Amino acid sequence: MRSVNPYTEEVNWTYDPFSFDECESRIESSRAAFSRWSSFSAEERTKYIFKAGQVLRQNVDVYAEIITKETGKPIRQSREEIENCAWLCDYYAENAVGFLKDELVDTGTEKSYVTFEPLGIIFGVISWSFPFLQVFRFAVPAMCAGNVCVIKHASNVPRSALEIEKVFHKAGFPENVFNTLLIDSKTAMEIIEEEMVDGVSLTGNIVTGSEIGELVGGLVKPLVLELGGSDPFIVLEDADIERAAQVAVRSSFLNTGQSSTAAKRFIIVEDIVVDFIEAFELEIQELKVGDPMDEETDIGPLAKKEFIDSLERILKDAKKKGAEPHVYGEEHNKGFFFRPTLIPAASTDMKACNIEVFGPIAPVITVKDEGEAVIVANSTEFGLGAEIWSQDLERAQNLAKRIKSGFVVINGMVEFNPRLPFGGIKKSGIGRELSHYGLKEFVNIKTVVVNR
């Protein structure tokens, strides 16, 4: 497995993938570790989680540099990712014990209660876009509940995968409570098919999610899927246009547009579309594109070279259907760069408006009113996040009820917060991560009734 620096195009590190036998041995060790880990009280387990947060904070710069070298993410954003991982550890260290307490239910018997018990080995199949955070938001709640975790990370971020394993070792976790497997997708499917794990969590695309969903469903195992999005960013005529444009750029171009929760379709009421585009363009022009290790950089290279061709095909489709894209910034002779691009008069039949675009392309769709905005917003197969901009908060909240998504933000952007459940509907996935909802995805919710 090769880790390639998207900015220099040089190889960072190379690793030999694990054999199936080696995977089997590690998973057997995880099974043995589960017996001990699950016997710990929730109070004991959360002490380890708290220590993991401390390890992250003590090594922020080290881990951030690894993320940037492997994905091309601007270093400031990589640092923020590590800080969010530490915040997540703090949150569960403080709250997991309460979340896992038995719930008493008055049924007229001597005693009735609901208890939350771990399932065993939970297998995480993880994407590369937030290489640390996507692992932590899956693994930390699962381990708090008493499960052990095994992950198959994306093949382009092997060093991140191994360093995450070391975080838990440094925090003093018992051996094999968290295990990383350097494997390809075929081996991951074999592990699931052989029923070596007790639950699966996938962050990825619809194709992979459908394949794993079919396999896991056939085995009747618990499953969480986060499969991406095409988030609408709706701006109504009474919005604060300048502020909306500022957040639009941040949301759309975070991680160079390589985020499932990025604003991907800008749906603007016709009365203000000219003003919005003008403000949007001014904000885009302020972005600095370049070396991701530079503290001033806002837009780095794409994570993989093949992504450039994919985005070019999306723009070609848009041009064929009448678009005149506006491209910003200078070209680069090295690195997997794709310049920030605005499509000011996009139509819903363009690929840019109906697939998950993973890159810095921002299509603007003009609508007559909020009714048409809802129709356009709900017109894709995705339903992950959405943003609504209006100074009439009651109107915006009523509109939010009509948006088919798992997360709606009014006058802001979809951002990580461990206190809030995260996940989508339609083909954006099933299940939830984070909050107490995410903690209970991989537990046996057991009812106990006591009679005299």
Side-chain angles (χ1 to χ4, degrees), residues 37 114 137 236 274 368 382 429:
W37 182 248
V114 179
R137 78 182 191 198
L236 303 180
V274 173
K368 291 181 296 183
F382 297 99

Side-chain angles (χ1 to χ4, degrees), residues 50-317:
F50 178 74
K51 289 178 183 176
Q54 290 182 313
V55 172
L56 288 164
R57 288 194 175 92
Q58 291 163 3
N59 298 278
V60 169
D61 291 335
V62 173
Y63 299 140
E65 185 174 322
I66 290 169
I67 291 173
T68 295
K69 284 184 175 179
E70 291 203 306
T71 69
K73 181 179 294 187
I75 190 67
R76 285 185 288 112
Q77 296 176 26
S78 296
R79 198 175 292 115
E80 182 181 1
E81 179 175 338
I82 299 302
E83 290 166 352
N84 280 337
C85 291
W87 177 20
L88 184 150
C89 289
D90 291 348
Y91 173 76
Y92 281 105
E94 293 169 7
N95 294 285
V97 173
F99 294 158
L100 293 168
K101 280 184 177 178
D102 293 349
E103 294 181 3
L104 294 173
V105 182
D106 184 2
T107 62
T109 62
E110 178 70 18
K111 186 179 183 181
S112 296
Y113 59 96
V114 179
T115 187
F116 308 99
E117 299 176 357
L119 299 178
I121 300 174
I122 311 302
F123 188 29
V125 182
I126 311 297
S127 176
W128 52 265
S129 54
F130 291 83
F132 271 66
L133 185 57
Q134 286 172 336
V135 173
F136 274 79
R137 78 182 191 198
F138 146 69
V140 167
M143 292 189 298
C144 280
N147 297 296
V148 297
C149 293
V150 174
I151 71 158
K152 180 264 181 220
H153 217 320
S155 60
N156 62 318
V157 290
R159 183 59 178 266
S160 291
L162 294 173
E163 289 297 327
I164 291 168
E165 185 177 80
K166 290 179 184 177
V167 169
F168 295 114
H169 288 169
K170 290 176 181 177
F173 276 66
E175 286 293 318
N176 300 305
V177 168
F178 181 95
N179 250 319
T180 289
L181 306 179
L182 296 183
I183 54 175
D184 58 17
S185 298
K186 180 175 179 293
T187 305
M189 295 294 278
E190 289 175 5
I191 286 170
I192 297 169
E193 194 168 12
E194 292 295 323
E195 299 198 61
M196 298 165 68
V197 297
D198 303 299
V200 178
S201 179
L202 166 75
T203 302
N205 57 48
I206 290 176
V207 174
T208 304
S210 297
E211 292 174 355
I212 286 184
E214 181 178 4
L215 180 58
V216 176
L219 297 171
V220 196
K221 304 280 188 183
L223 174 69
V224 170
L225 297 175
E226 197 276 274
L227 304 180
S230 183
D231 288 8
F233 189 104
I234 300 170
V235 185
L236 303 180
E237 69 280 357
D238 63 345
D240 181 334
I241 295 175
E242 184 177 340
R243 183 168 160 234
Q246 291 170 352
V247 177
V249 168
R250 182 163 175 255
S251 178
S252 182
F253 299 122
L254 179 70
N255 197 20
T256 314
Q258 299 169 116
S259 169
S260 58
T261 58
K264 290 183 166 57
R265 293 176 295 142
F266 295 87
I267 302 169
I268 317 298
V269 173
E270 61 185 0
D271 291 350
I272 59 164
V273 69
V274 173
D275 291 339
F276 176 81
I277 289 174
E278 182 180 326
F280 198 13
E281 288 190 299
L282 288 174
E283 294 295 329
I284 295 174
Q285 290 167 7
E286 293 297 314
L287 295 174
K288 180 177 179 180
V289 182
D291 182 355
M293 290 300 295
D294 186 335
E295 293 286 345
E296 300 300 317
T297 294
D298 301 300
I299 301 282
L302 300 172
K304 296 183 181 181
K305 187 175 183 179
E306 55 263 36
F307 293 168
I308 297 173
D309 292 336
S310 175
L311 294 177
E312 289 289 0
R313 287 194 294 271
I314 290 169
L315 279 191
K316 185 177 180 180
D317 171 79

